[in-house]
């Protein structure tokens, strides 16, 4: 029979990988908790229309990358390609925004039908933040600083924060017209993908990775020249806020989000160690999205970081991850000994210790080898001989201290657990 395989772009995380993932997730959780941000969990499957409206029909994500299908009730469903649209939907559906500003974080798998390569998968994972209801530039600074501090705390080096402003929605409308006219005048010099976007999504062309288009765009009108005084002041406040916190950044006038509901701050955190997939974290302000999905006008800012790319960076940087070792590995053989071992393991675990119980019934020598490999601090040895003497043996696996023997009853007595450690 042919061996069953996972789908292309869907990756297994084996037990050797998950400690690093848990470390990242726990560190993120700590940062969100410290920042008064609450976790939200939304379904992986949503009505397709949510993403068509919430991400935009002219984007690659909606056009080419979604996993959409009809369910048995003939509803068009889509595996979520990102988190923001679902969170806005949930906030509206449960009327959370009526209670004042909301601070959400989320994490989990996202699905996009892309060409798999290092740092790009079809099922990938994001950790993200969304702040709803704040328009003050300090909320932009706060959102960025939470991402920055998390990445610093994870020990990731050589990151660059790139920043831009897209201006207010009305600045954008004016600029879009100007850009569209300029691009139409230079239509023949554009690459094919960009040509298709001139009238549907001209701002997105600014983000093109095609060298000839990048070169051409150096002469295109810049949004920064079209900003209203208010938008310029707002951007200055964001820059000043970041500078005051000592967070280094670089202005990138070509950093854009193509859709009309994005406004003001756009940012990316980039590494020079990830090849073509260089963006670890991307975010920005989306003041028009809540209204676009049927709510009241609500300012909002958010970001999402790609966990696979973060994992690559942490692995490249050889950043040490602390994994708690078992306190005990229980080596046991013989009917009575095995029954006692199970009770023992349970009791020790209930008192908070990490215990690995060998359930193999293999020879002592094999169990000893596994105990060594388990990284446990101590082995508990329980065989027929020990049971006959009503004792267990404890061996320190890290030092040459000789074995100790203890009475089984003493050992099972919670109040005497302190005697377990030499
Ligand atoms: P890219 O230009 O790399 O495709 P994007 O603009 O599509 O990124 P966002 O939608 O802003 O990405 O998602 C935020 C982050 O999620 C990205 O910066 C990246 O770290 C991660 N990400 C996006 N798509 C993938 C993917 N297919 N595989 C792994 N990580 C991804
Ligand atoms: Mg993409």
């Amino acid at each position: 029979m042919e061996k069953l395989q996972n789908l292309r772009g869907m990756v297994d995380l084996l037990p050797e990988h998950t400690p690093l993932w848990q470390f990242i997730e726990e560190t993120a959780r700590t940062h969100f908790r410290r920042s008064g941000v609450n976790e939200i969990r939304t379904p992986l499957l949503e009505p397709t229309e949510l993403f068509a409206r919430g991400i935009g029909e002219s984007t690659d994500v909606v056009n080419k990358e979604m996993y959409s299908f009809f369910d048995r009730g003939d509803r068009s469903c889509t595996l979520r390609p990102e988190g923001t649209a679902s969170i806005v939907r949930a906030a509206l559906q449960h009327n959370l925004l009526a209670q004042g500003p909301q601070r959400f974080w989320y994490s989990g798998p996202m699905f996009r039908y892309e060409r798999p390569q290092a740092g790009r998968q079809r099922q990938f994972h994001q950790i993200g933040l969304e702040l709803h209801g704040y328009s003050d530039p300090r909320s932009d600074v706060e959102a960025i600083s939470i991402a920055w501090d998390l990445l610093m705390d994870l020990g990731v080096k050589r990151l660059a924060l790139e920043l831009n402003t897209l201006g207010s929605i009305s600045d954008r409308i004016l600029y879009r017209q100007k850009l569209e006219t300029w691009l139409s005048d230079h239509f023949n010099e554009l690459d094919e993908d960009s040509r298709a976007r001139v009238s549907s999504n001209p701002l997105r062309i600014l983000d093109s990775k095609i060298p000839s288009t990048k070169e051409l765009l150096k002469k295109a009108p810049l949004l920064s020249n079209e900003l209203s005084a208010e938008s310029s002041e707002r951007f200055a406040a964001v820059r000043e806020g970041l500078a005051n916190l000592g967070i280094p950044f670089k202005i990138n006038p070509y950093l854009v989000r193509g859709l009309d509901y994005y406004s003001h701050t756009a940012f990316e955190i980039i590494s020079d160690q990830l090849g073509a997939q260089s963006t670890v974290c991307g975010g920005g302000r989306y003041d028009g999205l809540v209204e676009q999905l049927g709510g009241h006008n609500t300012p909002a800012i958010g970001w999402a970081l790609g966990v696979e790319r973060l994992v690559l960076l942490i692995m490249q940087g050889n950043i040490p991850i602390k994994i708690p070792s078992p306190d005990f590995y229980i080596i046991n053989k013989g009917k009575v000994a095995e029954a006692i071992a199970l009770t023992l393991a349970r009791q020790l675990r209930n008192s908070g210790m990490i215990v690995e119980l060998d359930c193999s019934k293999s020879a002592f020598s094999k169990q000893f080898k596994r105990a060594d490999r388990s990284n446990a601090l101590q082995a508990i040895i329980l065989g027929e001989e020990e049971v006959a003497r009503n004792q267990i043996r404890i061996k320190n696996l890290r030092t040459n201290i000789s074995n100790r023997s203890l009475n089984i009853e003493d050992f099972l007595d919670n109040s005497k657990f302190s005697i377990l450690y030499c």
Side-chain angles (χ1 to χ4, degrees), residues 60-61 65 112 114 120 204 309:
D60 281 353
V61 171
E65 298 173 0
R112 295 185 194 177
E114 301 196 70
R120 192 174 293 287
R204 195 70 216 217
R309 295 185 193 176

Side-chain angles (χ1 to χ4, degrees), residues 333-361:
K333 198 166 167 59
K335 205 167 170 196
V336 184
E338 285 160 12
I340 296 175
L342 198 56
T343 312
L344 207 60
R346 184 171 179 228
Q347 199 143 340
L348 290 168
R349 286 170 185 156
N350 286 344
S351 73
M353 289 180 215
I354 307 175
V355 181
E356 210 172 311
L357 174 66
D358 196 311
C359 292
S360 69
K361 289 179 180 282

